[in-house]
Amino acid sequence: MAAVNPTANAQGTREVVVETLREEASTWLFVAKTLIAFFATGWLAMRFDLPAPSTAMLTTIIVANRQSGMVLAKSFYRGIGTVAGATAAVGIVAAFPQQRDLFLLALSLWIGICAGGATLYRNFKSYAFVLGGYTAAIVAIPVIENPPGVFDSAVARLSEVLLGLLVSGMVNDVVFPSRMRDVLRRAARDQFAHFLGFVRGATGGSIPREAMENAHLRFVRDAVTLEDLRSSVIFEDAEARARSNHMRLFNQRFMAASTSFQSLHHLVNRLKRAKRDLAASTLIRLYAPIGDALDMPIEAGTGARLLLPRLAAARDTMRGNVATLRATLADTQDIRDFDTGASLLLRFVDELHAYVDAAASLQAPRVLGGSAEKVRFDRGNDWLGAGIATFRTTLTMLVLGLFWIDSAWPLGSSAMLLATVFAGLFATTPNPTRVTWVVMLGYLSGMAAGFICEFFLLTQVDGYGLLVFAVAPFLAIGLVMMMSRKLAFYGLGWAMGFAYILALKNVQVYDPAHFINDAIAQVVGLGAAAVSFVVIPPAIGSAWLRRRQLARLRGQVALAAEAPLPGLRHRFESVNHDLVSQVVAQTQPGSADSRALIAWALAVHETGRALIEMRHDMARRDVPPTLSPYLQAALHTLARFYEKPDAHGYQLARDAVATAIASVGEHAGQAHLLEHLHLVRMALLDGESVLAAYMPSAPLAKEITHAP
């Protein structure tokens, strides 16, 4: 029996206790900061005699986040949405001051468009759209009987919301701020160290396909996470704003290098499976200087600057070794395989050097604003899914509006407001029906707590100080639950329901009948939002959308083959990573859908990037007129096959590539094109890839067939 090490056990227990205490401290710090912002906003709103201090106070809950940068980013976009919504409300009321039906139609359409726009983004930009719809409703609906009052209503709502945003931002930036820039720097360091460590560990030979698939998922998550963090950190830190484009360039170079790295190891794996060990081992020998260059402690900053000359020397060594190693090969097929791999390897080391250079520049004491190449991170948005969200939300608002008109329900406006908030807020979640019902349960609990607080405690206190003591414990319960992964949505519902139903103002009115009627109206609004997700299911998380996203991913090969070349590399890489990230987030890990996604992603990355590089070479050098039709035919058939894969399209693409290879071989000075085409053909004939399902016979899985 193994001896127990009491020191190790004590150390483990101590680490668990420290981590638990750190998490608890973070939770209660979030609760304290949110409560400070909530009550400071309420006090200021009452001092300024704003009509609805509760709107300003509710704003502090909606933008609450433990990270200061997240609060500032959320507040920035909420401010944009608020201004846009107030402007739209004034325009709608001015256009239809006496036509209630047309007014509700225009308002419903605006809210629907905002909900659709929210589905096109996966960061706080989506929140601007949600607030654009919500603000239009809270400005326009209360003045439906008094159109001239719309301007005063817009000014009041803007004042209340912007006050809440200002106070939240100041509190989170002053009271023990938790900086997102630290998270961003840590994410960039982790990405850098993990990728270079993986590259260093892979210089000894082939990588199992499963390991490469897992690495690809990690690369995708790292790239998308870094972009999401960058887009939030720029709001809290001036230095982060100055380095924002450098961070984008760092991320783009990471995506380019990781794609070439994967293509290189797929090539080595295929050669080994085809028993072409001499070509594979020769490429591994050519690869060896990279491992030697990376054989040092790796981290961003000083380590990156020290790596640059080592990688440059490795690149020079590899270029000098190409001819020597090629001379050791006698077989024509081995030479062709080596030429293809050597070209890919030299491209990879160039991209790796550029990536390390970007990492080093991020750590420079000063970064000049215009010193980095301008790049963008494009997203793979689905406009049809946004159209579904627009239709669903518009229809829900119209149904509630018609019910309000026909029933003359005095509190129908409250139902519409709540339906507006949650129909837009949860349109971007993978399972909005479940989320909305969980939030509704939390909302009911919060309103029940609000009833107890308002009629049993607030009626017994006098002054704002005692009001804080009466309200804070109830609100803190919801805020604590918001920090729990399991209870986050329930806690959000609790906090919003409690704050919204209290409707705190300068002269508080205690009317149980109105309280209960308003609570019923709010539940009806929440229920309408939940039912709308059942009647018209959202695209997000559905098998239908996954199929569309997978088709969009395959269509990236057509983009690589036919789109204009300027900026194409960056667009191809960023959209690919974003699409894969979306589908991974909505797919059960290890499922058939997940495996199919990864397999297609690897094929698309490799083939698409090879086509882009080939087109750049075609653009840089003169292609003989007699050769151009064969190259264009290869590009066209590959694009059509990936757009709609089937056995016939596969054979057309395979034969077109083989014909292009044979044609290039007949023209002197076109070896650079032959290397790209050969790589594409090897990918087409990979029996372990997703393309194997379209191959006419199984034997192709056992060997790499070369063009005559």
Side-chain angles (χ1 to χ4, degrees):
M1 182 174 178
V4 177
N5 187 342
T7 303
N9 287 342
Q11 180 67 23
T13 303
R14 187 180 303 110
E15 290 178 357
V16 171
V17 171
V18 169
E19 185 61 30
T20 301
L21 291 176
R22 183 182 294 113
E23 183 64 25
E24 285 296 314
S26 175
T27 297
W28 286 105
L29 180 60
F30 163 79
V31 171
K33 290 163 68 172
T34 306
L35 290 175
I36 292 171
F38 181 84
F39 290 113
T41 299
W43 183 82
L44 289 171
M46 292 178 184
R47 293 286 291 181
F48 296 151
D49 200 23
L50 296 179
S54 59
T55 300
M57 300 169 82
L58 185 64
T59 298
T60 64
I61 294 175
I62 294 176
V63 301
N65 194 287
R66 69 172 72 195
Q67 295 289 348
S68 304
M70 292 295 188
V71 174
L72 295 173
K74 210 172 182 182
S75 298
F76 175 80
Y77 288 116
R78 181 175 167 90
I80 291 176
T82 300
V83 173
T87 303
V90 172
I92 291 171
V93 173
F96 309 107
Q98 303 297 328
Q99 296 85 19
R100 180 175 294 189
D101 294 344
L102 293 177
F103 164 83
L104 287 174
L105 176 62
L107 182 62
S108 299
L109 184 59
W110 168 260
I111 294 170
I113 291 172
C114 289
T119 66
L120 296 176
Y121 295 94
R122 283 156 300 285
N123 54 29
F124 290 131
K125 291 180 182 178
S126 67
Y127 205 68
F129 286 96
V130 175
L131 265 295
Y134 171 53
T135 303
I138 65 173
V139 169
I141 289 176
V143 298
I144 193 170
E145 300 288 352
N146 178 33
V150 67
F151 183 77
D152 291 339
S153 178
V155 171
R157 298 294 85 76
L158 278 172
S159 301
E160 292 154 3
V161 171
L162 294 179
L163 175 64
L165 298 179
L166 177 63
V167 174
S168 290
M170 290 185 63
V171 169
N172 280 274
D173 199 51
V174 173
V175 181
F176 298 105
S178 178
R179 301 297 186 192
M180 282 297 298
R181 68 186 178 201
D182 299 328
V183 179
L184 176 63
R185 289 170 180 168
R186 185 165 57 250
R189 285 196 300 268
D190 289 346
Q191 181 203 91
F192 184 85
H194 175 264
F195 180 59
L196 265 63
F198 197 84
V199 171
R200 180 177 57 193
T203 56
S206 62
I207 302 174
R209 191 173 188 87
E210 183 179 356
M212 183 56 75
E213 290 177 350
N214 292 333
H216 179 69
L217 284 179
R218 166 106 189 220
F219 297 157
V220 167
R221 283 194 295 267
D222 286 351
V224 175
T225 299
L226 199 67
E227 171 60 18
D228 288 341
L229 287 171
R230 184 207 62 79
S231 65
S232 296
V233 172
I234 59 175
F235 292 98
E236 75 167 17
D237 189 73
E239 184 181 359
R241 285 193 295 275
R243 297 176 185 268
S244 178
N245 196 61
H246 285 76
M247 184 62 73
R248 273 180 169 165
L249 183 61
F250 169 79
N251 208 21
Q252 289 286 357
R253 288 178 175 175
F254 164 70
M255 291 186 286
S258 64
T259 296
S260 296
F261 172 78
Q262 293 170 70
S263 297
L264 175 64
H265 280 278
H266 285 315
L267 172 61
V268 173
N269 289 348
R270 291 179 190 124
L271 291 173
K272 284 181 172 292
R273 290 199 307 273
K275 307 302 182 184
R276 309 207 62 82
D277 295 322
L278 182 57
S281 61
T282 306
L283 281 174
I284 292 171
R285 287 168 61 192
L286 182 61
Y287 191 179
I290 296 179
D292 295 336
L294 297 179
D295 189 17
M296 62 173 289
I298 296 173
E299 61 179 17
T302 304
R305 287 192 291 274
L306 292 176
L307 275 174
L308 285 174
R310 295 169 66 95
L311 283 173
R315 180 173 55 189
D316 294 340
T317 301
M318 291 166 62
R319 286 173 177 166
N321 290 342
V322 169
T324 304
L325 292 173
R326 190 176 190 272
T328 64
L329 303 172
D331 185 84
T332 303
Q333 291 184 357
D334 283 343
I335 292 174
R336 181 175 295 177
D337 293 335
F338 176 80
D339 287 344
T340 301
S343 174
L344 183 57
L345 185 51
L346 291 174
R347 185 183 89 194
F348 168 64
V349 74
D350 284 339
E351 292 170 347
L352 184 63
H353 184 275
Y355 173 59
V356 174
D357 181 60
S361 70
L362 282 173
Q363 295 297 319
R366 292 187 60 189
V367 175
L368 299 178
S371 62
E373 176 189 353
K374 299 294 183 182
V375 295
R376 291 178 54 191
F377 190 99
D378 292 320
R379 299 282 187 172
N381 295 322
D382 188 274
W383 291 92
L384 187 55
I388 292 175
T390 297
F391 176 73
R392 181 200 313 111
T393 307
T394 301
L395 183 63
T396 302
M397 295 302 106
L398 283 175
V399 170
L400 281 174
L402 291 174
F403 176 73
W404 181 22
I405 292 173
D406 291 341
S407 65
W409 186 15
L411 293 174
S413 59
S414 291
M416 286 198 68
L417 287 177
L418 264 293
T420 299
V421 173
F422 291 103
L425 197 61
F426 298 135
T428 59
T429 58
N431 191 351
T433 304
R434 177 185 171 277
V435 169
T436 307
W437 285 114
V438 171
V439 169
M440 182 185 291
L441 291 176
Y443 206 93
L444 286 169
S445 303
M447 288 194 299
F451 184 88
I452 295 172
C453 179
E454 180 161 346
F455 295 106
F456 291 92
L457 294 180
L458 295 186
T459 54
Q460 306 299 317
V461 302
D462 185 24
Y464 195 76
L466 293 178
L467 179 145
V468 170
F469 281 105
V471 171
F474 292 95
L475 184 57
I477 293 173
L479 296 176
V480 170
M481 288 190 289
M482 284 173 63
M483 290 293 98
S484 167
R485 291 185 179 180
K486 294 182 178 180
L487 299 175
F489 287 112
Y490 187 90
L492 175 64
W494 173 293
M496 291 184 66
F498 177 79
Y500 197 56
I501 200 67
L502 281 184
L504 296 173
K505 43 187 168 292
N506 273 323
V507 180
Q508 189 72 3
V509 178
Y510 300 98
D511 184 349
H514 182 273
F515 184 101
I516 293 173
N517 286 332
D518 194 18
I520 293 172
Q522 293 179 37
V523 171
V524 169
L526 264 170
V531 169
S532 72
F533 290 122
V534 175
V535 175
I536 307 176
I540 294 177
S542 67
W544 170 81
L545 182 59
R546 283 198 299 271
R547 288 193 297 270
R548 281 182 55 82
Q549 289 171 326
L550 193 55
R552 173 77 186 278
L553 180 64
R554 293 196 304 266
Q556 287 293 100
V557 174
L559 180 83
E562 299 170 343
L565 283 175
L568 183 56
R569 286 193 188 100
H570 300 324
R571 182 182 174 192
F572 175 80
E573 294 286 358
S574 57
V575 172
N576 278 3
H577 282 71
D578 188 57
L579 283 170
V580 174
S581 175
Q582 289 182 58
V583 185
V584 165
Q586 302 157 17
T587 307
Q588 183 68 27
S591 65
D593 285 340
S594 177
R595 291 193 298 272
L597 163 71
I598 298 170
W600 274 113
L602 292 172
V604 166
H605 270 67
E606 182 174 15
T607 300
R609 185 63 188 282
L611 296 184
I612 291 173
E613 297 304 324
M614 185 178 77
R615 290 181 61 205
H616 274 289
D617 278 348
M618 291 169 61
R620 282 193 295 264
R621 310 181 190 185
D622 292 332
V623 176
T626 55
L627 177 58
S628 184
Y630 297 105
L631 297 175
Q632 294 300 330
L635 292 169
H636 176 78
T637 54
L638 282 165
R640 300 294 80 78
F641 165 65
Y642 271 89
E643 283 181 334
K644 192 175 181 180
D646 56 28
H648 178 65
Y650 172 83
Q651 292 184 52
L652 289 176
R654 184 194 63 188
D655 294 344
V657 172
T659 302
I661 290 174
S663 301
V664 170
E666 297 173 357
H667 293 76
Q670 303 297 326
H672 57 288
L673 298 179
L674 191 62
E675 293 160 0
H676 300 306
L677 288 168
H678 188 50
L679 182 62
V680 171
R681 180 162 173 78
M682 293 173 76
L684 281 171
L685 299 179
D686 186 351
E688 288 193 2
S689 77
V690 72
L691 305 183
Y694 307 100
M695 294 179 183
S697 58
L700 287 172
K702 300 298 184 181
E703 64 176 347
I704 298 174
T705 303
H706 295 267

